[in-house]
Each structure stands twice: as C-alpha cells, then as structure tokens.
Amino acid sequence: MSTFQSDFLNILSSRGYIHQCSDTAGLDALAKDRKITAYIGFDCTAPSLHVGSLVQIMLLHWLQQTGNKPIVLMGGGTTRVGDPSGRDESRKLLSVDDIENNKRGIQQVFARFLQFGSSGNDAAMVDNAEWLTKLNYIDMLRDIGRHFSVNRMLTMDSVKLRLEREHELSFIEFNYMVLQAYDYVELARRYNCNLQMGGSDQWGNIVNGIDLGRRMGTHQLYALTSPLITLASGAKMGKTASGAVWLNADMRSPYEYWQFWRNTEDADVGRFLRLFTTLPLDEVARLEKLGGAEINDAKKILANAATSLLHGAAAADEAAETARKTFEEGASAEGLPTVGVTLGEGLGILAALVQAGLASSNGEARRSIQGGAIRVNDEPVRDDKLVLGEALLKDGSIKLSMGKKKHVLLKPV
RNA sequence: GGGAGAGUGUCCCGAGUGGCAAAGGGGGCGGACUGUAAAUCCGCUGCUUUACGGCUUCGAAGGUUCGAGUCCUUCCUCUCCCA
C-alpha cells in the first residue's frame, strides 16, 4: 500500500510500524521535503532499554535513513514523576541517583542505530531534566496549567483506566501528561521539532502536546504511534523466563540475544523481520513463505540481522556459530555463557546449578535433577549428590545444561 | 470526621469449616511429540546436604487455644458510601 509521497511513510507503512497518525497527508508532505524533526522520549526506569523499545528505536532509525532529523529525548525529568500510562499500579518513585545511572545505561544503545553529530540530519540527544527541573510551580500553573482542562484529562485512557478499575492514581502521576505535553512544546521551540512518535499507549500524551503547542503558539505539530507488539500467542513481547530482554550487552549477552530471536514463534517471523531488521521487503516476503522446518532458516536470518543491528556483525556471527556448535553439533562451544567456579575439593552439583544461575535454590536444583533436566558434559545426571571435580574438565571447562536450551560453561578460577 | 468492605503461597488471579505447606487456575520451568516453533499431553513450582524431620509463609503487632489463614484487640494500606 505505497500511497505516500515520502520514503519515510512508505517504509513505515509497508514494514508495519504505523498504528495512528494525527495527519498523514500533512506529515507526508513534510517528510517528502525531509523537513521532519522528530523525537521519542525514553524514560529512565531501568539501567537498559529492552526489546519493547526496539520498535521506537527503529522508528528513529528509519527517520534518519530517509533524511529527517531524529531527537532522542532522555526522560531524566519525567522519570522523576512516573508515567501512569498502561499501568495498573503506580510504580515506586526512583531516586534521582538511580535515574541518572539508568540514563547513562540507556544512552549507549542509541549509537548503534543512529548517527549523532551536529550537522545536517545528525541525531541529537537531549534530557528533559534540562528544562523540567527548572520549572517554578506558580509560573508553570499560569503558563502551562491554564491550558489543561481537568475534565478532559479525566477522559484520557491513562487516567480513566485507573479510575474505572478503582486503582490509586497519585497527583504526581496525574501531572505526567502535562510535563510530556510541555516537553513537546519545548522541543518544538528549541529544535524546531514537529513530530513526536511513540508506542500506541502514548497517543493521548502526544496529542496533548499538540494541543498545548497550538495554544502556546508553536508551529503545527504531528503525532505518529506504533502498534503494541505482541506475540502471535498473545503474550507481551520481550519477557522471557530470565526476565526482560535487555539491549545492553552486559545485561544480556549477544549470544542470548541471538537465541531470543532464534526462538521466535513461526507466526511472528515475517512481522519481526519487517520490524526488527532492515532486510529488503521482497527478501522478507520470500523468507516468511518458508514452511515447516525450513522456517528455521528464516529465524536464523532474523537472529543474525537483529543481533547485527544491536551488537555488530562480528558479535552476531560469533553468536550464530556458538548456537550452531551447541545445537547442531551438540558440542561444547566457547561462546556459551561462562561462570567461574572454585572446584577445589569438588563442587556439589546442587551448588553448581545455583552458581550457574540454572536454579535459584538447592531445592529447585534437586527437583530439576529428579525431573531429568540436568546434564553434565551432555551426560544426564540422576544423582543429586554428584560432585564435580577436575576430572570432568574438558578443554578447561565443564558444560552444565538444563533442558535443551540452557547451557553454561563452568570454568575453574 | 462517620459508616461498609478488602488485604492469602513476595509473578499474577484466587478458594479456604480452628488441625494447613494451605484447593484451583494463569504464568514459569522440565519431560514427551516436533523443527531450538506452535498446539497437545505428563511432571515440578516456599526454604532446608538429601529427612513419614526441621524451618518460614496468609497486610503488621499482640492475644485466646493443645493447635490460628481461619476467633479477639490494636495498628497499617486500599476501595466504596455519607460529610
């Protein structure tokens, strides 16, 4: 459905990034002339972003690729308030120190997807703490607050849902949308920003910004949101057994990241190739037609492409090779997650499982053994009193596995 | 300020007559089947050096009782109604 004049909207539309847009035609005209300066806000609620934010990052990526200017807005200020959108319960207020730490952790990932600099359509990174923390309460109420109707705020989904479900919504959270709206105006004034993008749950917040801009006399502002990405099975994307799929390499290794994509459900392969890789669409179309076991090849390509984008081609190749050795040859591979252990007099299997992170307690480890899930050097373990000693070392490590997919190398230190 | 109700296995929902490590479900993990998929079926899902044992769990603290998630008191948090 390539009905747009601009590369930007054509790509977004054909790859499945668009959920809602405030004025498609107006935006298309701007994009055609490469006159869009768009921002997306990222709150600093964790030390790393996770795959849930990847769609947003890709939006900025394509924006820049099509000649427009991206702004990454770090929510150093708004995170101190807390966004109630899409949440049933208020989250704990984070300390300012934590927020700053999180911000540093999050920032690093963008360099992989965007070209930063100070010329042309180089990307910029800004922190809304810069202006939000300087606001004075009375001045803010008079300058900004008077433009907001509480009647209307109460109808916003983020607020309405809390009220309907009879869940607490604190006053500080109630203010979040005001601050986000103001961010948009501030960015419009400072950087000539004219588009805010975000996940579909941000629609209300973004539109508030547009309204505020009109009342405060900015140029015309636009909104564009991406769909909430769920798995074909209906589950929210990005949560796995071991928690969120973090983007930072020190929180989730390239190998584990590769595995995450390798394990994509069949029904999601095509959609994910479009959203999370930059492969040409005709190639994607070919791959998603693969049926039966052949679709595994498509999943490998997805894993390679997605891992390359985030960690670089070398890391992706290495992860692919580790996976190939582990799963296709059944061998022990260097690239598997490694845990340092002290063998000394011998290490009990239960303790080893706990140290390797495969079990959270001795009891859980014992149950896993009783359930037949554990293997040492690919030999099934039935005895929970087994002691690991140096005799089991192979190439300097012991391969400890739980189930088919979880493998850890124990290395003596 | 007055009145009514609710908080259960630290992932979530949720039953619970004084004998309860506590029903059931979801989720998760493992196994079988496959293709490192989905669906389905089966097992496990508080801790504890392995124990028909011990310990710690039902918002918090006390109390009654041989014995308390269950009864009593006080407190905390949330919701609703009235002001």
Side-chain angles (χ1 to χ4, degrees):
Chain A
M1 298 281 267
S2 295
T3 53
F4 298 109
Q5 306 273 304
S6 63
D7 293 341
F8 179 59
L9 285 183
N10 274 329
I11 289 176
L12 257 51
S13 152
S14 56
R15 299 191 80 103
Y17 287 103
I18 299 179
H19 181 249
Q20 277 178 289
C21 179
S22 60
D23 174 8
T24 318
L27 198 60
D28 193 32
L30 283 174
K32 188 176 161 230
D33 297 332
R34 308 194 157 195
K35 282 182 181 161
I36 294 182
T37 297
Y39 92 94
I40 298 180
F42 295 88
D43 271 352
C44 311
T45 50
S48 166
L49 295 176
H50 53 80
V51 288
S53 298
L54 210 47
V55 171
Q56 269 63 255
I57 297 174
M58 292 304 288
L59 285 173
L60 291 178
H61 173 81
W62 286 118
L63 179 85
Q64 186 170 45
Q65 292 303 306
T66 53
N68 298 287
K69 183 179 175 68
I71 295 176
V72 176
L73 178 70
M74 302 307 297
T78 34
T79 309
R80 299 190 198 181
V81 170
D83 185 3
S85 298
R87 317 193 111 248
D88 266 359
E89 291 167 23
S90 23
R91 54 173 106 218
K92 294 187 287 287
L93 280 182
L94 294 164
S95 75
V96 173
D97 283 349
D98 285 344
I99 292 171
E100 285 304 304
N101 281 331
N102 290 342
K103 192 174 87 184
R104 277 192 287 278
I106 288 169
Q107 282 173 329
Q108 58 196 58
V109 80
F110 289 98
R112 292 281 183 187
F113 296 85
L114 300 171
Q115 160 94 41
F116 285 89
S118 52
S119 61
N121 68 332
D122 282 347
M125 184 172 290
V126 217
D127 181 350
N128 60 17
E130 205 179 305
W131 52 85
L132 292 181
T133 55
K134 289 176 188 147
L135 289 174
N136 164 297
Y137 196 59
I138 299 296
D139 289 343
M140 190 203 91
L141 288 177
R142 288 182 61 88
D143 297 341
I144 307 165
R146 69 189 165 108
H147 297 300
F148 282 83
S149 147
V150 170
N151 310 47
R152 206 164 102 70
M153 288 170 77
L154 291 176
T155 68
M156 308 299 291
D157 270 353
S158 59
V159 173
K160 196 175 64 179
L161 289 175
R162 288 279 185 88
L163 295 179
E164 279 174 357
R165 293 183 192 171
E166 298 177 355
H167 281 131
E168 158 86 356
L169 175 73
S170 70
F171 182 66
I172 183 172
E173 294 174 282
F174 187 60
N175 279 269
Y176 187 92
M177 68 171 89
V178 176
L179 297 181
Q180 184 171 339
Y182 179 63
D183 276 347
Y184 200 173
V185 172
E186 197 64 33
L187 286 167
R189 288 176 173 168
R190 292 178 181 224
Y191 297 92
N192 219 16
C193 178
N194 49 12
L195 171 65
Q196 180 182 179
M197 302 188 286
S200 54
D201 59 340
Q202 293 299 312
W203 179 255
N205 288 340
I206 298 175
V207 168
N208 268 330
I210 296 180
D211 283 350
L212 183 64
R214 192 177 57 242
R215 291 168 204 267
M216 294 179 76
T218 67
H219 48 267
Q220 178 64 51
L221 302 175
Y222 298 86
L224 178 74
T225 57
S226 59
L228 177 69
I229 307 300
T230 54
L231 303 182
S233 56
K236 264 193 187 173
M237 186 183 176
K239 293 283 167 73
T240 68
S242 34
V245 181
W246 303 110
L247 298 183
N248 289 5
D250 55 350
M251 293 176 70
R252 185 159 275 245
S253 70
Y255 167 73
E256 293 172 295
Y257 190 72
W258 193 93
Q259 279 294 313
F260 169 75
W261 294 106
R262 173 63 184 83
N263 285 305
T264 298
E265 294 174 27
D266 287 7
D268 289 324
V269 170
R271 195 161 49 108
F272 285 5
L273 280 166
R274 275 185 284 273
L275 289 170
F276 301 114
T277 76
T278 52
L279 291 178
L281 288 175
D282 47 359
E283 173 73 353
V284 173
R286 184 184 72 79
L287 289 172
E288 72 179 330
K289 277 197 205 111
L290 295 175
E294 286 190 332
I295 198 158
N296 284 327
D297 293 333
K299 292 184 190 180
K300 288 178 197 168
I301 291 171
L302 168 63
N304 283 337
T307 308
S308 294
L309 271 179
L310 180 62
H311 296 299
D317 289 346
E318 200 177 311
E321 180 58 12
T322 299
R324 195 187 62 76
K325 276 188 184 157
T326 304
F327 290 96
E328 295 177 22
E329 288 181 10
S332 180
E334 272 300 303
L336 291 173
T338 302
V339 173
V341 295
T342 315
L343 287 179
E345 312 270 302
L347 178 64
I349 182 71
L350 298 180
L353 285 165
V354 172
Q355 284 181 33
L358 295 177
S360 58
S361 67
N362 285 3
E364 191 181 313
R366 181 173 292 118
R367 283 192 297 271
S368 293
I369 290 173
Q370 282 160 359
I374 303 302
R375 277 161 296 138
V376 170
N377 289 337
D378 299 309
E379 292 295 322
V381 175
R382 279 288 169 187
D383 177 9
D384 58 22
K385 280 174 294 194
L386 179 73
V387 174
L388 306 180
E390 301 194 350
L392 289 166
L393 286 174
K394 277 183 168 182
D395 299 328
S397 63
I398 298 173
K399 183 181 178 189
L400 188 59
S401 311
M402 177 161 85
K404 290 174 189 162
K405 294 185 190 174
K406 293 181 191 156
H407 308 279
V408 173
L409 296 182
L410 302 178
K411 287 196 177 171
V413 286

